Amino acid sequence: MASSSTGFFQALPALPNQYTSDTNLQHAIEFFLPRSTIDKAAPEWESFGSKMVSEEIFDLVRDAESHKPYVMSHNVVGRAINKLVTSHGWRSLKRVGQESGLMSIAARREYEENSRVVAFVYHYLFSASSAIVNCPLAMTDGCASVLAQYSSHIKDSREIWQRLTERDPDFAWTAGQWMTERTGGSDVSATETLAVLDNDLCARRGEDNYYRVQGFKWFSSATDAEVCLFLAKIKEGNAVDTSLSCFLGRLIPNKAAGHVRIHRLKEKLGTKALPTAELELNNFEAQLIGGRAQGIKVISSVLNITRVHSVSATLGFYARALSMAREYAKVRQIGHGSSAQSKRLIEVPAHMKVLAHESLRLRAFTYLMLYCAELLGKSEDRELGLGKGLSPQHYRLPDYGRPDPETELSRIMPGVTKALVARETIQGISECMESMGGIGYMEDPGSVEYNLARLLRDSQVNAIWEGTTNVLSHDLVRFIRKNATVVLAGLDQLVADTIGQGEVNIKDHTLDPVACGNGDDAVGGDATLDSLRDTLQSRMEEWQSRITDPQFNVDGSQSRLLITALGRLVAGLLLFADTVRGGRVSQSRSLEVDANIDPVKLEVLARWVLADEYELCENRDLDYMIVYGMDKSELLQTVSKL
Ligand SMILES: Cc1cc2nc3c(=O)[nH]c(=O)nc-3n(C[C@H](O)[C@H](O)[C@H](O)COP(=O)(O)OP(=O)(O)OC[C@H]3O[C@@H](n4cnc5c(N)ncnc54)[C@H](O)[C@@H]3O)c2cc1C
């Protein structure tokens, strides 16, 4: 008999360390980073992965989620104060991010040329426990990069850069980015905000680029930031520029002088702790950055960075949702009515198939995320001379005159990856929710660590901000049309570096057709590494011929299919390289096959490349290895002790 306090209560295990329990992440790290870097970073990641699921952090998340930000409009004597109030949890989580080096590692090249990859591992581990602090940190990262490129004539640029990239939270600042207006966020050309040069201010400040700005910004998420980058049109007399310019403003003095007013905070589906506001600018003081009418070029470098952050954030949610689903499957018993049929969810093949499917998708996406991070780091090193211990005033301006294939890939891959991953993650988190039944749907403050619903709500925004899927798709097609030679050369180089060129004998590695139980003639049953390689190669050729086909309509509905196809294809190339080489992409073009190919990697590769075609032949026993990194008997032994 059951009562509110007696009878059956479902056990709920504590979530494991988010770094050590994530086998997908471990494999991707080993692929992208040299051993010396992993040895240096791993102890820190391990302690961060443990902290992210600690009671201390979950208390802060609970506080941030349950005390939404608000605007205190007036003081007791009726004077307008327009003060933003955020929660203790929100402010503390921001400090955790800064102290952990999320801003400093990449910007200050703490791990030299591997800093971007190392930093994005942290961002991935942080996002699900950050209550969306990851959003202002992403914009801060982008702003620091812009300052590194365009520091000349920006007052106190060195100090601002140092504060944005600082570990000490008492000294650190964050930055916001205001692009979206009521006229549109996808297309900002109709921006209504105007900037007028203020000669008196220029004389007082000793620079010739100080402007007064009037306008209304429709979305500002980092409303508690100290600095901001935004777009406006310069007005001179009655003439208004048609092109946009980018400006850097400081919020503390502007707020104090009443030059920026929070019109209201937005009511949103998710991202509840994030103070997303509408802002009115009135004589707002700001400095032109990066040159007149160069706004889109300047802000594009922010977008490229924030898109990789969107990817790491949403994959962090996905990884956490999967972590919950994995732990729950270990303890949830079904078929209680008959003890003969009673078993744990991990013993149900259909359930394991679902978790394996999600796990391998997450693995492919994680490789894409770190690939974007690597490309970003390389292009910054090349263009800015970062990684050589230079300080901002020594940075060179980027040389856009000499396109380089890998630099061009670094411009497209963040958008490609975000377009693919942001949407697929929503579906994946939803699948994890269903796998936990009704518990997955709950928003119980008593178990904030198992609040999967919050992750589903918060993941939705990643498909909208920093470019919707269709907008990214059209941008990609247009960009490739304009820069076809160099982008396609970049993709050809990637193909050569991952799946090799010319003849190689890898036919010995036939995927085991017996495992599917349907014999040799089953669909996909004769897949070999060679055939997987041929499939990837021919898909890339087909993709390239489609995108360069003059008949192809760039504004048509096919753009979206092309962008997601490219994302899948690049993930397949990376998984292939990891399977055959068992490690980092080599600079050598010759394909050296590792004799001891990991059967789990091979299985993941085949499932990813052949998808539904291979479904019939999947090796079911490997589901356990894909999901838990151990075989069935080992897993059952482990859970019997729970
Ligand atoms: C929680 C949240 C926080 C945000 N924070 C910020 C912030 O801090 N700073 C900031 O600047 N912005 C911010 N944004 C705004 C966000 O970047 C925009 O909402 C986004 O860029 C879309 O712009 P929009 O809302 O004007 O939609 P629109 O641009 O009107 O788009 C509406 C639809 O039209 C489609 N569309 C538009 N143009 C095209 C085209 N050319 N081809 C095909 N389809 C098209 C889009 O795909 C979309 O489906 C935030 C948004 C949210 C939800």
Side-chain angles (χ1 to χ4, degrees):
M1 205 179 72
S3 72
S4 61
S5 56
T6 60
F8 175 78
F9 284 91
Q10 178 58 55
L12 213 48
L15 291 178
N17 183 310
Q18 296 296 286
Y19 170 69
T20 53
S21 66
D22 190 334
T23 47
N24 289 323
L25 181 63
Q26 311 279 334
H27 286 301
I29 285 171
E30 278 170 22
F31 181 66
F32 284 100
L33 290 175
R35 178 48 49 198
S36 55
T37 305
I38 298 175
D39 289 346
K40 183 177 162 198
E44 299 291 324
W45 284 328
E46 189 172 339
S47 88
F48 194 66
S50 160
K51 186 171 182 171
M52 288 304 104
V53 287
S54 66
E55 213 175 316
E56 170 207 346
I57 291 293
F58 283 130
D59 282 346
L60 296 176
V61 173
R62 184 186 294 108
D63 185 77
E65 286 286 311
S66 53
H67 297 100
K68 284 191 350 188
Y70 64 95
V71 178
M72 211 180 263
S73 61
H74 293 84
N75 68 8
V76 69
V77 294
R79 193 175 289 282
I81 51 173
N82 199 242
K83 184 179 167 160
L84 174 69
V85 183
T86 55
S87 65
H88 163 74
W90 168 264
R91 293 192 305 276
S92 305
L93 285 166
K94 204 198 271 189
R95 293 174 72 89
V96 167
Q98 288 162 332
E99 271 167 348
S100 309
L102 268 71
M103 291 297 95
S104 67
I105 290 170
R108 299 187 178 197
R109 289 301 191 260
E110 292 178 7
Y111 286 79
E112 295 168 346
E113 72 272 23
N114 297 308
S115 300
R116 274 285 176 203
V117 175
V118 172
F120 273 107
V121 172
Y122 275 99
H123 289 292
Y124 167 90
L125 293 171
F126 185 49
S127 74
S129 291
S130 78
I132 312 294
V133 160
N134 62 278
C135 164
L137 293 189
M139 293 191 270
T140 304
D141 194 357
C143 184
S145 167
V146 164
L147 270 173
Q149 293 171 61
Y150 304 101
S151 59
S152 59
H153 304 294
I154 297 297
K155 199 165 172 55
D156 303 326
S157 65
R158 185 165 172 72
E159 187 204 329
I160 299 173
W161 183 87
Q162 279 177 330
R163 285 183 180 272
L164 296 180
T165 62
E166 175 61 44
R167 273 180 188 256
D168 176 358
D170 292 328
F171 181 72
W173 282 356
T174 53
Q177 161 210 321
W178 308 334
M179 289 180 64
T180 311
E181 300 201 357
R182 284 178 301 222
T183 47
S186 309
D187 178 356
V188 288
S189 60
T191 291
E192 295 176 307
T193 300
L194 299 179
V196 177
L197 187 69
D198 185 331
N199 288 318
D200 289 346
L201 197 56
C202 290
R204 264 188 282 143
R205 302 270 188 260
E207 291 288 355
D208 62 358
N209 56 359
Y210 273 91
Y211 286 73
R212 291 283 180 191
V213 182
Q214 303 287 138
F216 191 82
K217 292 293 176 184
W218 184 228
F219 277 96
S220 155
S221 281
T223 308
D224 54 349
E226 284 80 5
V227 289
C228 61
L229 280 177
F230 65 92
L231 296 174
K233 288 179 179 166
I234 291 178
K235 182 169 185 253
E236 221 175 329
N238 287 329
V240 175
D241 285 0
T242 45
S243 298
L244 289 156
S245 299
C246 187
F247 294 85
L248 178 80
R250 293 176 71 155
L251 277 132
I252 301 166
N254 269 301
K255 269 182 188 160
H259 295 320
V260 54
R261 192 179 68 81
I262 302 172
H263 178 61
R264 61 172 176 161
L265 292 185
K266 304 260 194 200
E267 290 293 339
K268 300 168 286 179
L269 167 73
T271 65
K272 300 283 187 194
L274 179 72
T276 307
E278 296 166 15
L279 299 177
E280 192 169 62
L281 310 182
N282 189 6
N283 280 330
F284 189 87
E285 175 185 328
Q287 269 192 292
L288 176 66
I289 185 165
R292 184 167 177 167
Q294 297 298 308
I296 295 297
K297 180 178 154 190
V298 176
I299 216 80
S300 295
S301 60
V302 178
L303 286 179
N304 232 24
I305 292 172
T306 50
R307 281 173 186 161
V308 188
H309 279 278
S310 275
V311 169
S312 64
T314 205
L315 291 185
F317 299 160
Y318 193 9
R320 179 65 60 81
L322 197 53
S323 177
M324 293 176 193
R326 271 197 311 258
E327 294 312 303
Y328 194 68
K330 286 181 189 168
V331 293
R332 183 64 172 163
Q333 204 95 18
I334 57 160
H336 290 283
S338 144
S339 58
Q341 284 176 14
S342 171
K343 52 181 149 184
R344 294 170 196 256
L345 278 176
I346 48 168
E347 295 170 90
V348 179
H351 197 83
M352 286 308 296
K353 186 62 67 199
V354 168
L355 296 188
H357 182 67
E358 297 312 321
S359 205
L360 81 91
R361 276 157 36 97
L362 177 60
R363 182 177 303 197
F365 298 154
T366 307
Y367 277 66
L368 278 177
M369 169 185 81
L370 293 190
Y371 179 54
C372 289
E374 183 181 79
L375 283 173
L376 185 62
K378 279 186 183 175
S379 77
E380 286 173 337
D381 286 351
R382 242 190 322 263
E383 294 185 350
L384 304 176
L386 288 177
K388 298 186 179 69
L390 299 183
S391 51
Q393 69 265 36
H394 296 117
Y395 293 152
R396 283 179 283 115
L397 283 177
D399 179 359
Y400 289 106
R402 281 179 291 119
D404 155 84
E406 217 173 31
T407 302
E408 297 307 295
L409 284 190
S410 77
R411 296 203 172 110
I412 64 166
M413 282 314 295
V416 168
T417 305
K418 180 177 132 31
L420 172 69
V421 161
R423 291 213 57 75
E424 300 249 340
T425 299
I426 299 167
Q427 193 191 333
I429 296 174
S430 168
E431 192 72 75
C432 294
M433 175 181 270
E434 186 181 333
S435 85
M436 290 175 62
I439 293 279
Y441 193 72
M442 295 300 113
E443 295 236 36
D444 201 310
S447 300
V448 68
E449 72 280 19
Y450 271 95
N451 186 342
L452 200 151
R454 171 175 67 89
L455 302 176
L456 183 59
R457 281 193 281 104
D458 288 353
S459 65
Q460 188 72 48
V461 78
N462 287 301
I464 297 173
W465 62 23
E466 320 305 343
T468 60
T469 314
N470 276 356
V471 166
L472 291 172
S473 308
H474 292 163
D475 282 357
L476 172 84
V477 176
R478 277 194 216 101
F479 184 84
I480 295 185
R481 279 291 173 83
K482 259 203 234 156
N483 306 279
T485 314
V486 70
V487 172
L488 298 188
L491 289 174
D492 286 343
Q493 187 182 318
L494 176 67
V495 167
D497 287 347
T498 48
I499 64 175
Q501 285 174 328
E503 290 294 307
V504 280
N505 182 10
I506 45 179
K507 284 193 191 293
D508 289 348
H509 294 281
T510 306
L511 296 176
D512 184 0
V514 181
C516 71
N518 290 332
D520 281 7
D521 53 353
V523 186
D526 60 349
T528 62
L529 264 178
D530 231 7
S531 69
L532 290 172
R533 193 181 76 135
D534 291 347
T535 304
L536 288 167
Q537 184 116 42
S538 62
R539 280 186 194 161
M540 180 58 89
E541 282 161 14
E542 192 190 324
W543 190 90
Q544 295 200 0
S545 75
R546 275 220 198 170
I547 202 137
T548 49
D549 181 353
Q551 304 297 319
F552 181 75
N553 177 5
V554 289
D555 291 322
S557 55
Q558 283 190 352
S559 305
R560 185 190 269 234
L561 296 178
L562 278 184
I563 198 169
T564 50
L566 181 61
R568 282 179 208 289
L569 202 40
V570 172
L573 294 173
L574 297 169
L575 290 174
F576 187 95
D578 191 27
T579 304
V580 296
R581 299 212 177 92
R584 193 174 166 69
V585 178
S586 124
Q587 291 307 308
S588 131
R589 298 287 164 87
S590 65
L591 192 65
E592 289 155 29
V593 179
D594 185 337
N596 304 312
I597 284 188
D598 177 345
V600 184
K601 285 188 177 176
L602 190 56
E603 180 75 10
V604 166
L605 173 68
R607 290 188 193 189
W608 178 256
V609 174
L610 302 175
D612 294 348
E613 208 184 316
Y614 186 63
E615 196 89 7
L616 289 170
C617 296
E618 284 174 6
N619 185 339
R620 192 198 287 172
D621 288 344
L622 289 180
D623 284 347
Y624 291 90
M625 293 297 295
I626 293 171
V627 179
Y628 290 100
M630 58 181 92
D631 64 23
K632 186 177 177 182
S633 57
E634 193 185 349
L635 178 66
L636 288 176
Q637 252 181 7
T638 318
V639 299
S640 66
K641 295 175 196 142
L642 290 177

PDB file of all heavy atoms in Angstrom, residues 182-207:
ATOM      1  N   ARG A 182      13.617  47.011 -34.042  1.00  0.00           N
ATOM      2  CA  ARG A 182      12.258  46.565 -34.387  1.00  0.00           C
ATOM      3  C   ARG A 182      12.141  46.283 -35.875  1.00  0.00           C
ATOM      4  O   ARG A 182      11.338  45.472 -36.315  1.00  0.00           O
ATOM      5  CB  ARG A 182      11.230  47.622 -33.958  1.00  0.00           C
ATOM      6  CG  ARG A 182      10.975  47.606 -32.459  1.00  0.00           C
ATOM      7  CD  ARG A 182       9.990  48.687 -32.064  1.00  0.00           C
ATOM      8  NE  ARG A 182      10.464  50.018 -32.426  1.00  0.00           N
ATOM      9  CZ  ARG A 182      10.352  51.095 -31.650  1.00  0.00           C
ATOM     10  NH1 ARG A 182       9.792  50.993 -30.465  1.00  0.00           N
ATOM     11  NH2 ARG A 182      10.792  52.264 -32.056  1.00  0.00           N
ATOM     12  N   THR A 183      12.965  46.957 -36.677  1.00  0.00           N
ATOM     13  CA  THR A 183      12.908  46.763 -38.130  1.00  0.00           C
ATOM     14  C   THR A 183      13.451  45.401 -38.557  1.00  0.00           C
ATOM     15  O   THR A 183      13.205  44.965 -39.676  1.00  0.00           O
ATOM     16  CB  THR A 183      13.735  47.851 -38.830  1.00  0.00           C
ATOM     17  OG1 THR A 183      14.988  47.947 -38.150  1.00  0.00           O
ATOM     18  CG2 THR A 183      13.027  49.186 -38.825  1.00  0.00           C
ATOM     19  N   GLY A 184      14.242  44.739 -37.714  1.00  0.00           N
ATOM     20  CA  GLY A 184      14.723  43.401 -38.077  1.00  0.00           C
ATOM     21  C   GLY A 184      16.094  43.081 -37.522  1.00  0.00           C
ATOM     22  O   GLY A 184      16.970  43.952 -37.456  1.00  0.00           O
ATOM     23  N   GLY A 185      16.251  41.827 -37.126  1.00  0.00           N
ATOM     24  CA  GLY A 185      17.541  41.362 -36.615  1.00  0.00           C
ATOM     25  C   GLY A 185      18.300  40.586 -37.674  1.00  0.00           C
ATOM     26  O   GLY A 185      19.531  40.587 -37.708  1.00  0.00           O
ATOM     27  N   SER A 186      17.561  39.918 -38.573  1.00  0.00           N
ATOM     28  CA  SER A 186      18.235  39.157 -39.631  1.00  0.00           C
ATOM     29  C   SER A 186      18.862  40.118 -40.626  1.00  0.00           C
ATOM     30  O   SER A 186      19.990  39.935 -41.070  1.00  0.00           O
ATOM     31  CB  SER A 186      17.238  38.269 -40.371  1.00  0.00           C
ATOM     32  OG  SER A 186      16.499  37.507 -39.469  1.00  0.00           O
ATOM     33  N   ASP A 187      18.093  41.134 -40.971  1.00  0.00           N
ATOM     34  CA  ASP A 187      18.588  42.147 -41.897  1.00  0.00           C
ATOM     35  C   ASP A 187      18.590  43.476 -41.140  1.00  0.00           C
ATOM     36  O   ASP A 187      17.533  44.030 -40.844  1.00  0.00           O
ATOM     37  CB  ASP A 187      17.651  42.207 -43.110  1.00  0.00           C
ATOM     38  CG  ASP A 187      18.082  43.270 -44.102  1.00  0.00           C
ATOM     39  OD1 ASP A 187      19.051  44.001 -43.808  1.00  0.00           O
ATOM     40  OD2 ASP A 187      17.440  43.378 -45.161  1.00  0.00           O
ATOM     41  N   VAL A 188      19.794  43.958 -40.824  1.00  0.00           N
ATOM     42  CA  VAL A 188      19.876  45.161 -39.979  1.00  0.00           C
ATOM     43  C   VAL A 188      20.014  46.435 -40.815  1.00  0.00           C
ATOM     44  O   VAL A 188      20.249  47.512 -40.275  1.00  0.00           O
ATOM     45  CB  VAL A 188      21.047  45.050 -38.965  1.00  0.00           C
ATOM     46  CG1 VAL A 188      20.733  44.042 -37.880  1.00  0.00           C
ATOM     47  CG2 VAL A 188      22.355  44.701 -39.653  1.00  0.00           C
ATOM     48  N   SER A 189      19.840  46.315 -42.137  1.00  0.00           N
ATOM     49  CA  SER A 189      20.090  47.488 -42.987  1.00  0.00           C
ATOM     50  C   SER A 189      19.091  48.618 -42.735  1.00  0.00           C
ATOM     51  O   SER A 189      19.366  49.768 -43.043  1.00  0.00           O
ATOM     52  CB  SER A 189      20.083  47.086 -44.463  1.00  0.00           C
ATOM     53  OG  SER A 189      18.831  46.546 -44.790  1.00  0.00           O
ATOM     54  N   ALA A 190      17.930  48.286 -42.165  1.00  0.00           N
ATOM     55  CA  ALA A 190      16.936  49.342 -41.912  1.00  0.00           C
ATOM     56  C   ALA A 190      17.076  49.925 -40.497  1.00  0.00           C
ATOM     57  O   ALA A 190      16.133  50.532 -39.976  1.00  0.00           O
ATOM     58  CB  ALA A 190      15.542  48.789 -42.120  1.00  0.00           C
ATOM     59  N   THR A 191      18.235  49.731 -39.889  1.00  0.00           N
ATOM     60  CA  THR A 191      18.490  50.263 -38.542  1.00  0.00           C
ATOM     61  C   THR A 191      18.108  51.746 -38.458  1.00  0.00           C
ATOM     62  O   THR A 191      18.465  52.545 -39.331  1.00  0.00           O
ATOM     63  CB  THR A 191      19.993  50.065 -38.212  1.00  0.00           C
ATOM     64  OG1 THR A 191      20.216  48.674 -38.047  1.00  0.00           O
ATOM     65  CG2 THR A 191      20.420  50.805 -36.962  1.00  0.00           C
ATOM     66  N   GLU A 192      17.390  52.089 -37.380  1.00  0.00           N
ATOM     67  CA  GLU A 192      16.907  53.475 -37.246  1.00  0.00           C
ATOM     68  C   GLU A 192      17.780  54.318 -36.312  1.00  0.00           C
ATOM     69  O   GLU A 192      17.570  55.515 -36.175  1.00  0.00           O
ATOM     70  CB  GLU A 192      15.474  53.458 -36.698  1.00  0.00           C
ATOM     71  CG  GLU A 192      14.476  52.810 -37.659  1.00  0.00           C
ATOM     72  CD  GLU A 192      13.081  52.705 -37.062  1.00  0.00           C
ATOM     73  OE1 GLU A 192      12.950  52.151 -35.954  1.00  0.00           O
ATOM     74  OE2 GLU A 192      12.129  53.174 -37.699  1.00  0.00           O
ATOM     75  N   THR A 193      18.731  53.678 -35.636  1.00  0.00           N
ATOM     76  CA  THR A 193      19.571  54.408 -34.681  1.00  0.00           C
ATOM     77  C   THR A 193      20.572  55.296 -35.428  1.00  0.00           C
ATOM     78  O   THR A 193      21.224  54.839 -36.372  1.00  0.00           O
ATOM     79  CB  THR A 193      20.306  53.400 -33.769  1.00  0.00           C
ATOM     80  OG1 THR A 193      19.322  52.629 -33.087  1.00  0.00           O
ATOM     81  CG2 THR A 193      21.202  54.087 -32.770  1.00  0.00           C
ATOM     82  N   LEU A 194      20.667  56.553 -34.980  1.00  0.00           N
ATOM     83  CA  LEU A 194      21.522  57.516 -35.679  1.00  0.00           C
ATOM     84  C   LEU A 194      22.622  58.036 -34.753  1.00  0.00           C
ATOM     85  O   LEU A 194      22.396  58.232 -33.553  1.00  0.00           O
ATOM     86  CB  LEU A 194      20.679  58.698 -36.165  1.00  0.00           C
ATOM     87  CG  LEU A 194      19.558  58.362 -37.161  1.00  0.00           C
ATOM     88  CD1 LEU A 194      18.786  59.626 -37.524  1.00  0.00           C
ATOM     89  CD2 LEU A 194      20.121  57.706 -38.427  1.00  0.00           C
ATOM     90  N   ALA A 195      23.801  58.266 -35.339  1.00  0.00           N
ATOM     91  CA  ALA A 195      24.944  58.767 -34.563  1.00  0.00           C
ATOM     92  C   ALA A 195      25.445  60.063 -35.193  1.00  0.00           C
ATOM     93  O   ALA A 195      25.639  60.132 -36.413  1.00  0.00           O
ATOM     94  CB  ALA A 195      26.053  57.720 -34.565  1.00  0.00           C
ATOM     95  N   VAL A 196      25.647  61.070 -34.354  1.00  0.00           N
ATOM     96  CA  VAL A 196      26.112  62.372 -34.849  1.00  0.00           C
ATOM     97  C   VAL A 196      27.435  62.704 -34.158  1.00  0.00           C
ATOM     98  O   VAL A 196      27.545  62.590 -32.926  1.00  0.00           O
ATOM     99  CB  VAL A 196      25.061  63.476 -34.545  1.00  0.00           C
ATOM    100  CG1 VAL A 196      25.564  64.844 -34.979  1.00  0.00           C
ATOM    101  CG2 VAL A 196      23.741  63.136 -35.223  1.00  0.00           C
ATOM    102  N   LEU A 197      28.417  63.103 -34.954  1.00  0.00           N
ATOM    103  CA  LEU A 197      29.735  63.437 -34.391  1.00  0.00           C
ATOM    104  C   LEU A 197      29.590  64.611 -33.421  1.00  0.00           C
ATOM    105  O   LEU A 197      28.909  65.591 -33.726  1.00  0.00           O
ATOM    106  CB  LEU A 197      30.690  63.815 -35.534  1.00  0.00           C
ATOM    107  CG  LEU A 197      32.147  64.032 -35.147  1.00  0.00           C
ATOM    108  CD1 LEU A 197      32.802  62.715 -34.732  1.00  0.00           C
ATOM    109  CD2 LEU A 197      32.923  64.652 -36.305  1.00  0.00           C
ATOM    110  N   ASP A 198      30.238  64.505 -32.252  1.00  0.00           N
ATOM    111  CA  ASP A 198      30.165  65.579 -31.258  1.00  0.00           C
ATOM    112  C   ASP A 198      31.569  66.172 -31.101  1.00  0.00           C
ATOM    113  O   ASP A 198      32.427  65.595 -30.421  1.00  0.00           O
ATOM    114  CB  ASP A 198      29.656  65.001 -29.927  1.00  0.00           C
ATOM    115  CG  ASP A 198      29.445  66.084 -28.874  1.00  0.00           C
ATOM    116  OD1 ASP A 198      30.151  67.111 -28.935  1.00  0.00           O
ATOM    117  OD2 ASP A 198      28.590  65.892 -27.996  1.00  0.00           O
ATOM    118  N   ASN A 199      31.784  67.311 -31.757  1.00  0.00           N
ATOM    119  CA  ASN A 199      33.132  67.893 -31.774  1.00  0.00           C
ATOM    120  C   ASN A 199      33.609  68.307 -30.387  1.00  0.00           C
ATOM    121  O   ASN A 199      34.788  68.163 -30.061  1.00  0.00           O
ATOM    122  CB  ASN A 199      33.179  69.088 -32.736  1.00  0.00           C
ATOM    123  CG  ASN A 199      33.102  68.603 -34.172  1.00  0.00           C
ATOM    124  OD1 ASN A 199      33.739  67.608 -34.527  1.00  0.00           O
ATOM    125  ND2 ASN A 199      32.297  69.262 -34.993  1.00  0.00           N
ATOM    126  N   ASP A 200      32.688  68.829 -29.566  1.00  0.00           N
ATOM    127  CA  ASP A 200      33.085  69.236 -28.204  1.00  0.00           C
ATOM    128  C   ASP A 200      33.587  68.030 -27.415  1.00  0.00           C
ATOM    129  O   ASP A 200      34.603  68.091 -26.721  1.00  0.00           O
ATOM    130  CB  ASP A 200      31.898  69.851 -27.451  1.00  0.00           C
ATOM    131  CG  ASP A 200      31.546  71.207 -28.019  1.00  0.00           C
ATOM    132  OD1 ASP A 200      32.384  71.741 -28.783  1.00  0.00           O
ATOM    133  OD2 ASP A 200      30.444  71.698 -27.728  1.00  0.00           O
ATOM    134  N   LEU A 201      32.826  66.955 -27.553  1.00  0.00           N
ATOM    135  CA  LEU A 201      33.193  65.727 -26.837  1.00  0.00           C
ATOM    136  C   LEU A 201      34.546  65.215 -27.340  1.00  0.00           C
ATOM    137  O   LEU A 201      35.409  64.803 -26.552  1.00  0.00           O
ATOM    138  CB  LEU A 201      32.102  64.676 -27.080  1.00  0.00           C
ATOM    139  CG  LEU A 201      32.036  63.479 -26.154  1.00  0.00           C
ATOM    140  CD1 LEU A 201      31.916  63.908 -24.704  1.00  0.00           C
ATOM    141  CD2 LEU A 201      30.829  62.610 -26.535  1.00  0.00           C
ATOM    142  N   CYS A 202      34.733  65.274 -28.660  1.00  0.00           N
ATOM    143  CA  CYS A 202      36.013  64.825 -29.241  1.00  0.00           C
ATOM    144  C   CYS A 202      37.159  65.646 -28.648  1.00  0.00           C
ATOM    145  O   CYS A 202      38.201  65.095 -28.264  1.00  0.00           O
ATOM    146  CB  CYS A 202      36.010  64.995 -30.758  1.00  0.00           C
ATOM    147  SG  CYS A 202      34.916  63.852 -31.595  1.00  0.00           S
ATOM    148  N   ALA A 203      36.941  66.963 -28.558  1.00  0.00           N
ATOM    149  CA  ALA A 203      37.999  67.833 -28.035  1.00  0.00           C
ATOM    150  C   ALA A 203      38.290  67.480 -26.576  1.00  0.00           C
ATOM    151  O   ALA A 203      39.447  67.392 -26.154  1.00  0.00           O
ATOM    152  CB  ALA A 203      37.579  69.294 -28.162  1.00  0.00           C
ATOM    153  N   ARG A 204      37.220  67.249 -25.816  1.00  0.00           N
ATOM    154  CA  ARG A 204      37.403  66.925 -24.390  1.00  0.00           C
ATOM    155  C   ARG A 204      38.094  65.581 -24.196  1.00  0.00           C
ATOM    156  O   ARG A 204      38.912  65.402 -23.319  1.00  0.00           O
ATOM    157  CB  ARG A 204      36.045  66.906 -23.680  1.00  0.00           C
ATOM    158  CG  ARG A 204      35.731  68.237 -22.993  1.00  0.00           C
ATOM    159  CD  ARG A 204      34.483  68.126 -22.151  1.00  0.00           C
ATOM    160  NE  ARG A 204      33.290  68.188 -22.985  1.00  0.00           N
ATOM    161  CZ  ARG A 204      32.180  67.487 -22.783  1.00  0.00           C
ATOM    162  NH1 ARG A 204      32.105  66.661 -21.779  1.00  0.00           N
ATOM    163  NH2 ARG A 204      31.154  67.613 -23.578  1.00  0.00           N
ATOM    164  N   ARG A 205      37.747  64.615 -25.027  1.00  0.00           N
ATOM    165  CA  ARG A 205      38.294  63.256 -24.856  1.00  0.00           C
ATOM    166  C   ARG A 205      39.612  63.058 -25.600  1.00  0.00           C
ATOM    167  O   ARG A 205      40.273  62.039 -25.448  1.00  0.00           O
ATOM    168  CB  ARG A 205      37.292  62.207 -25.367  1.00  0.00           C
ATOM    169  CG  ARG A 205      35.937  62.260 -24.701  1.00  0.00           C
ATOM    170  CD  ARG A 205      35.899  61.376 -23.465  1.00  0.00           C
ATOM    171  NE  ARG A 205      34.559  61.284 -22.938  1.00  0.00           N
ATOM    172  CZ  ARG A 205      34.104  61.988 -21.904  1.00  0.00           C
ATOM    173  NH1 ARG A 205      34.891  62.840 -21.283  1.00  0.00           N
ATOM    174  NH2 ARG A 205      32.864  61.844 -21.471  1.00  0.00           N
ATOM    175  N   GLY A 206      39.960  63.980 -26.482  1.00  0.00           N
ATOM    176  CA  GLY A 206      41.245  63.890 -27.183  1.00  0.00           C
ATOM    177  C   GLY A 206      41.259  62.874 -28.314  1.00  0.00           C
ATOM    178  O   GLY A 206      42.314  62.379 -28.702  1.00  0.00           O
ATOM    179  N   GLU A 207      40.092  62.494 -28.840  1.00  0.00           N
ATOM    180  CA  GLU A 207      40.004  61.605 -30.011  1.00  0.00           C
ATOM    181  C   GLU A 207      38.961  62.200 -30.956  1.00  0.00           C
ATOM    182  O   GLU A 207      38.059  62.917 -30.514  1.00  0.00           O
ATOM    183  CB  GLU A 207      39.563  60.187 -29.607  1.00  0.00           C
ATOM    184  CG  GLU A 207      40.580  59.396 -28.799  1.00  0.00           C
ATOM    185  CD  GLU A 207      41.791  58.928 -29.600  1.00  0.00           C
ATOM    186  OE1 GLU A 207      41.806  59.133 -30.832  1.00  0.00           O
ATOM    187  OE2 GLU A 207      42.716  58.374 -28.995  1.00  0.00           O
TER     188      GLU A 207
END
